[in-house]
Amino acid sequence: KKAESAYLEAVQIFAGLEKSTPKVYNYYMFVIYSNIAKLKQKQGSLREAEKNFVAAKNVLQPIFDDNPEIYRNDYIECLQDLQKIYAMQGNASMEKETNVLIERCK
């Protein structure tokens, strides 16, 4: 609990930095949100995992769009993780929608 609290505090610091200089901190925020999402998934908190995977995807999207050759694997992995969450939740429509995004990236 202490480590998670400290990590979430660090997220707030990085979020502030990302707002002032997004091109510098977008990738770091992507990694942070992905890590939180994976932690929440392991804890069985699927809604929190989904929320953080969506945040990771949204932060990575603009830098992926600018440099798809560099960020393609990260973006696809994030989408696949999100797709797994939707499958675990039984949300077939979002699972299918995410699969379409994955296929477009390949």
Side-chain angles (χ1 to χ4, degrees):
K1 290 284 182 190
K2 270 185 159 180
E4 183 179 352
S5 175
Y7 194 79
L8 294 175
E9 185 178 329
V11 169
Q12 296 305 313
I13 294 167
F14 269 93
L17 294 170
E18 191 257 340
K19 285 180 183 172
S20 63
T21 51
K23 297 247 182 206
V24 174
Y25 290 97
N26 277 23
Y27 189 77
Y28 294 113
M29 290 304 297
F30 159 72
V31 171
I32 289 168
Y33 285 131
S34 293
N35 287 341
I36 293 170
K38 290 174 185 179
L39 172 66
K40 294 300 181 182
Q41 182 179 1
K42 286 182 181 183
Q43 292 175 337
S45 182
L46 298 183
R47 288 212 186 279
E48 284 296 310
E50 175 190 358
K51 180 179 103 177
N52 283 284
F53 279 129
V54 168
K57 175 188 146 313
N58 291 340
V59 165
L60 188 60
Q61 181 75 53
I63 59 176
F64 167 72
D65 290 342
D66 288 345
N67 297 294
E69 63 284 347
I70 295 172
Y71 297 104
R72 178 174 282 111
N73 291 340
D74 289 323
Y75 191 67
I76 289 172
E77 182 180 331
C78 182
L79 290 172
Q80 289 170 333
D81 288 336
L82 189 54
Q83 186 179 37
K84 288 176 194 171
I85 293 295
Y86 290 137
M88 293 169 78
Q89 292 174 332
N91 190 339
S93 65
M94 288 304 292
E95 184 181 359
K96 184 177 179 180
E97 186 176 312
T98 305
N99 190 57
V100 169
L101 293 174
I102 293 167
E103 292 304 316
R104 285 186 196 155
C105 293
K106 292 182 178 180

